[in-house]
Protein backbone atom coordinates (compact mmCIF):
# COMPACT_ATOMS: atom_id res chain seq x y z
CA UNK A 1 0.00 0.00 0.00
CA UNK A 2 1.51 3.30 -1.13
CA UNK A 3 0.45 6.57 0.51
CA UNK A 4 1.19 9.74 -1.49
CA UNK A 5 1.22 13.20 0.04
CA UNK A 6 -0.56 14.55 -3.02
CA UNK A 7 -0.81 14.19 -6.78
CA UNK A 8 0.97 16.74 -8.94
CA UNK A 9 0.10 17.22 -12.60
CA UNK A 10 -2.92 16.93 -14.84
CA UNK A 11 -4.15 13.44 -13.86
CA UNK A 12 -5.09 14.01 -10.23
CA UNK A 13 -8.85 13.47 -10.14
CA UNK A 14 -8.62 10.29 -8.09
CA UNK A 15 -8.59 9.41 -4.42
CA UNK A 16 -6.98 6.00 -4.67
CA UNK A 17 -6.46 3.19 -7.15
CA UNK A 18 -5.36 -0.43 -7.24
CA UNK A 19 -4.45 -3.04 -9.79
CA UNK A 20 -6.82 -5.95 -10.40
CA UNK A 21 -5.65 -9.30 -9.00
CA UNK A 22 -2.42 -7.70 -7.85
CA UNK A 23 -0.46 -6.66 -4.76
CA UNK A 24 -0.50 -2.87 -5.08
CA UNK A 25 -2.88 -0.11 -4.01
CA UNK A 26 -2.15 3.64 -3.97
CA UNK A 27 -3.80 6.34 -1.84
CA UNK A 28 -3.67 10.13 -2.26
CA UNK A 29 -3.69 12.47 0.73
CA UNK A 30 -5.59 11.17 3.74
CA UNK A 31 -7.74 8.72 1.78
CA UNK A 32 -5.58 5.90 3.15
CA UNK A 33 -7.24 6.54 6.53
CA UNK A 34 -10.76 5.70 5.29
CA UNK A 35 -11.58 2.00 5.81
CA UNK A 36 -14.15 2.10 3.01
CA UNK A 37 -11.53 3.30 0.53
CA UNK A 38 -9.05 0.67 1.70
CA UNK A 39 -11.58 -2.16 1.41
CA UNK A 40 -12.61 -0.95 -2.06
CA UNK A 41 -9.02 -0.87 -3.33
CA UNK A 42 -8.08 -4.16 -1.69
CA UNK A 43 -11.19 -5.57 -3.37
CA UNK A 44 -9.51 -4.80 -6.68
CA UNK A 45 -6.41 -6.62 -5.47
CA UNK A 46 -8.73 -9.57 -4.72
CA UNK A 47 -9.83 -9.44 -8.42
CA UNK A 48 -13.13 -7.60 -7.84
CA UNK A 49 -14.47 -5.09 -10.37
CA UNK A 50 -16.74 -2.12 -9.65
CA UNK A 51 -20.41 -2.27 -8.62
CA UNK A 52 -22.89 -0.13 -10.55
CA UNK A 53 -26.35 0.85 -9.35
CA UNK A 54 -29.86 0.97 -10.75
CA UNK A 55 -28.89 3.94 -12.93
CA UNK A 56 -26.18 1.95 -14.72
CA UNK A 57 -23.31 4.16 -13.54
CA UNK A 58 -20.00 2.61 -12.54
CA UNK A 59 -19.92 3.22 -8.76
CA UNK A 60 -23.55 3.65 -7.73
CA UNK A 61 -24.35 0.27 -6.14
CA UNK A 62 -24.07 1.35 -2.52
CA UNK A 63 -25.16 -2.01 -1.16
CA UNK A 64 -21.49 -3.06 -1.31
CA UNK A 65 -17.98 -1.69 -0.97
CA UNK A 66 -17.11 -1.92 -4.68
CA UNK A 67 -19.60 0.90 -5.23
CA UNK A 68 -17.28 3.14 -3.17
CA UNK A 69 -19.91 4.54 -0.77
CA UNK A 70 -18.09 5.25 2.53
CA UNK A 71 -15.78 8.23 3.07
CA UNK A 72 -14.90 8.52 6.73
CA UNK A 73 -12.07 7.49 9.03
CA UNK A 74 -14.38 5.77 11.53
CA UNK A 75 -17.06 4.17 9.30
CA UNK A 76 -16.33 0.94 7.46
CA UNK A 77 -18.61 -1.91 8.51
CA UNK A 78 -19.84 -2.86 5.07
CA UNK A 79 -19.49 -5.97 2.91
CA UNK A 80 -19.46 -6.66 -0.83
CA UNK A 81 -22.57 -7.30 -2.96
CA UNK A 82 -23.98 -10.69 -3.90
CA UNK A 83 -22.01 -11.07 -7.15
CA UNK A 84 -18.72 -10.25 -5.44
CA UNK A 85 -19.52 -12.58 -2.54
CA UNK A 86 -20.06 -15.39 -5.04
CA UNK A 87 -16.79 -14.63 -6.79
CA UNK A 88 -14.40 -14.05 -3.92
CA UNK A 89 -14.31 -17.61 -2.59
CA UNK A 90 -14.71 -16.85 1.11
CA UNK A 91 -18.23 -18.31 1.27
CA UNK A 92 -18.03 -21.29 -1.10
CA UNK A 93 -19.79 -23.57 1.39
CA UNK A 94 -22.74 -21.15 1.58
CA UNK A 95 -23.50 -20.72 -2.12
CA UNK A 96 -26.57 -22.04 -3.91
CA UNK A 97 -26.83 -22.42 -7.70
CA UNK A 98 -30.36 -22.51 -9.12
CA UNK A 99 -31.32 -23.11 -12.76
CA UNK A 100 -34.87 -21.75 -13.18
CA UNK A 101 -35.16 -23.33 -16.62
CA UNK A 102 -34.76 -26.71 -14.89
CA UNK A 103 -36.22 -25.84 -11.46
CA UNK A 104 -39.18 -23.58 -12.31
CA UNK A 105 -40.23 -22.97 -8.69
CA UNK A 106 -37.84 -22.66 -5.75
CA UNK A 107 -38.02 -21.13 -2.27
CA UNK A 108 -34.83 -20.24 -0.41
CA UNK A 109 -34.14 -19.02 3.13
CA UNK A 110 -31.21 -16.60 3.01
CA UNK A 111 -29.10 -15.10 5.77
CA UNK A 112 -26.95 -12.00 5.43
CA UNK A 113 -23.27 -12.21 4.60
CA UNK A 114 -22.38 -10.76 8.02
CA UNK A 115 -24.17 -13.72 9.64
CA UNK A 116 -22.24 -16.29 7.61
CA UNK A 117 -20.95 -17.95 10.79
CA UNK A 118 -24.54 -18.24 12.15
CA UNK A 119 -26.16 -19.53 8.95
CA UNK A 120 -26.86 -23.11 10.14
CA UNK A 121 -26.65 -24.50 6.62
CA UNK A 122 -28.56 -21.69 4.94
CA UNK A 123 -27.01 -19.96 1.92
CA UNK A 124 -25.71 -16.39 1.91
CA UNK A 125 -25.76 -15.98 -1.88
CA UNK A 126 -27.74 -17.53 -4.74
CA UNK A 127 -26.72 -17.55 -8.41
CA UNK A 128 -29.36 -17.96 -11.12
CA UNK A 129 -28.07 -19.85 -14.15
CA UNK A 130 -29.32 -18.22 -17.34
CA UNK A 131 -27.43 -20.18 -19.99
CA UNK A 132 -25.96 -16.83 -21.09
CA UNK A 133 -22.83 -14.88 -20.19
CA UNK A 134 -24.65 -12.71 -17.65
CA UNK A 135 -25.98 -14.33 -14.48
CA UNK A 136 -28.10 -12.99 -11.62
CA UNK A 137 -27.07 -13.07 -7.97
CA UNK A 138 -29.40 -12.79 -4.98
CA UNK A 139 -28.44 -11.84 -1.42
CA UNK A 140 -29.98 -10.63 1.83
CA UNK A 141 -28.43 -7.28 2.70
CA UNK A 142 -28.76 -7.66 6.46
CA UNK A 143 -27.51 -4.49 8.15
CA UNK A 144 -25.77 -6.04 11.15
CA UNK A 145 -22.33 -6.86 12.51
CA UNK A 146 -19.72 -6.51 9.72
CA UNK A 147 -22.41 -4.95 7.49
CA UNK A 148 -23.91 -2.67 10.14
CA UNK A 149 -22.92 0.56 8.36
CA UNK A 150 -24.27 -0.51 4.98
CA UNK A 151 -25.27 2.49 2.86
CA UNK A 152 -28.24 1.30 0.77
CA UNK A 153 -31.16 -1.15 0.95
CA UNK A 154 -30.74 -2.11 4.59
CA UNK A 155 -32.36 -5.47 5.42
CA UNK A 156 -33.64 -5.93 1.88
CA UNK A 157 -33.19 -8.66 -0.72
CA UNK A 158 -30.81 -7.53 -3.44
CA UNK A 159 -30.52 -8.74 -7.05
CA UNK A 160 -27.30 -8.10 -8.98
CA UNK A 161 -26.26 -8.90 -12.56
CA UNK A 162 -22.69 -9.85 -13.50
CA UNK A 163 -20.91 -12.42 -15.65
CA UNK A 164 -20.64 -16.13 -14.94
CA UNK A 165 -18.15 -15.92 -12.09
CA UNK A 166 -18.91 -12.38 -10.94
CA UNK A 167 -15.60 -10.92 -12.14
CA UNK A 168 -17.12 -8.31 -14.46
CA UNK A 169 -18.50 -4.91 -13.55
CA UNK A 170 -21.75 -5.74 -11.75
CA UNK A 171 -25.03 -3.82 -11.77
CA UNK A 172 -27.72 -3.72 -9.11
CA UNK A 173 -31.06 -4.76 -10.64
CA UNK A 174 -33.46 -4.36 -7.70
CA UNK A 175 -33.74 -4.34 -3.93
CA UNK A 176 -36.87 -5.76 -2.39
CA UNK A 177 -38.71 -5.18 0.85
CA UNK A 178 -41.02 -7.85 2.24
CA UNK A 179 -43.77 -8.62 -0.26
CA UNK A 180 -42.07 -6.94 -3.22
CA UNK A 181 -41.14 -8.71 -6.46
CA UNK A 182 -38.83 -8.17 -9.41
CA UNK A 183 -39.22 -9.74 -12.85
CA UNK A 184 -36.27 -10.69 -15.05
CA UNK A 185 -37.89 -10.45 -18.47
CA UNK A 186 -37.51 -13.18 -21.11
CA UNK A 187 -35.18 -15.12 -18.83
CA UNK A 188 -32.35 -16.78 -20.74
CA UNK A 189 -33.41 -15.13 -24.01
CA UNK A 190 -35.12 -18.38 -24.96
CA UNK A 191 -37.69 -16.67 -27.22
CA UNK A 192 -40.75 -17.98 -25.37
CA UNK A 193 -41.23 -14.75 -23.44
CA UNK A 194 -41.20 -16.37 -20.02
CA UNK A 195 -39.91 -14.30 -17.12
CA UNK A 196 -38.36 -15.19 -13.79
CA UNK A 197 -40.09 -13.49 -10.86
CA UNK A 198 -38.14 -13.08 -7.62
CA UNK A 199 -40.26 -12.30 -4.54
CA UNK A 200 -39.22 -11.43 -1.00
CA UNK A 201 -41.93 -13.47 0.71
CA UNK A 202 -40.85 -12.56 4.23
CA UNK A 203 -38.02 -10.75 6.00
CA UNK A 204 -37.45 -11.34 9.71
CA UNK A 205 -34.81 -9.27 11.52
CA UNK A 206 -36.21 -10.00 14.99
CA UNK A 207 -34.07 -13.14 15.19
CA UNK A 208 -30.33 -13.79 15.13
CA UNK A 209 -29.52 -14.36 12.38
CA UNK A 210 -32.15 -12.45 10.46
CA UNK A 211 -33.60 -14.33 7.51
CA UNK A 212 -35.23 -13.61 4.18
CA UNK A 213 -37.50 -16.14 2.48
CA UNK A 214 -37.23 -15.68 -1.27
CA UNK A 215 -39.21 -17.42 -3.99
CA UNK A 216 -37.91 -17.78 -7.55
CA UNK A 217 -40.56 -18.65 -10.14
CA UNK A 218 -40.13 -19.25 -13.87
Amino acid sequence: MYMLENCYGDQCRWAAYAYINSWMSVYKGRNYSFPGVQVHELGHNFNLAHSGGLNGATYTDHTGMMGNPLWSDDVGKMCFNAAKNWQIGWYDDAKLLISPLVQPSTTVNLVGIADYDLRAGRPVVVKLETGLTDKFYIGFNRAARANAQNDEADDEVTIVKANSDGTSQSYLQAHLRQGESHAILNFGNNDNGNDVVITANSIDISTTPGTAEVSISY
Side-chain angles (χ1 to χ4, degrees):
M1 298 170 67
Y2 291 98
M3 290 73 166
L4 307 182
E5 175 193 23
N6 209 327
C7 173
Y8 302 96
D10 297 330
Q11 305 297 322
C12 292
R13 295 197 303 175
W14 52 271
Y17 65 88
Y19 289 99
I20 297 288
N21 200 26
S22 179
W23 53 268
M24 188 174 78
S25 57
V26 182
Y27 304 83
K28 182 180 72 175
R30 65 187 300 261
N31 291 298
Y32 72 89
S33 68
F34 300 159
V37 177
Q38 285 191 26
V39 173
H40 178 96
E41 301 307 337
L42 291 172
H44 287 315
N45 290 159
F46 296 151
N47 205 31
L48 304 182
H50 288 134
S51 299
L54 297 174
N55 63 356
T58 303
Y59 294 100
T60 51
D61 177 5
H62 291 174
T63 70
M65 279 295 203
M66 297 314 292
N68 218 25
L70 300 181
W71 295 84
S72 171
D73 64 354
D74 59 357
V75 175
K77 293 181 179 179
M78 189 172 179
C79 299
F80 298 121
N81 72 15
K84 312 307 184 191
N85 290 328
W86 182 279
Q87 174 196 347
I88 203 166
W90 297 344
Y91 315 106
D92 284 354
D93 58 348
K95 296 176 176 178
L96 179 62
L97 175 64
I98 294 175
S99 300
L101 299 173
V102 178
Q103 304 163 260
S105 181
T106 309
T107 299
V108 181
N109 282 297
L110 284 166
V111 300
I113 202 74
D115 289 329
Y116 164 81
D117 57 331
L118 304 174
R119 69 191 185 283
R122 290 166 289 205
V124 297
V125 59
V126 171
K127 179 167 82 168
L128 301 186
E129 176 57 59
T130 63
L132 306 171
T133 300
D134 285 334
K135 317 296 181 182
F136 294 89
Y137 300 83
I138 305 171
F140 176 38
N141 198 32
R142 178 74 176 101
R145 305 175 77 200
N147 200 46
Q149 293 165 334
N150 171 70
D151 199 50
E152 180 181 17
D154 285 1
D155 302 320
E156 297 184 28
V157 173
T158 57
I159 304 164
V160 178
K161 181 171 73 173
N163 67 2
S164 59
D165 58 5
T167 56
S168 67
Q169 162 87 42
S170 66
Y171 292 98
L172 184 66
Q173 303 296 291
H175 45 85
L176 309 176
R177 298 184 180 92
Q178 180 171 294
E180 294 182 335
S181 297
H182 173 73
I184 303 171
L185 304 179
N186 192 23
F187 187 84
N189 289 346
N190 54 10
D191 296 326
N192 63 14
N194 289 344
D195 308 331
V196 161
V197 178
I198 301 165
T199 302
N201 296 333
S202 63
I203 294 174
D204 185 358
I205 59 172
S206 67
T207 59
T208 302
T211 58
E213 183 187 273
V214 178
S215 64
I216 302 155
S217 301
Y218 175 63

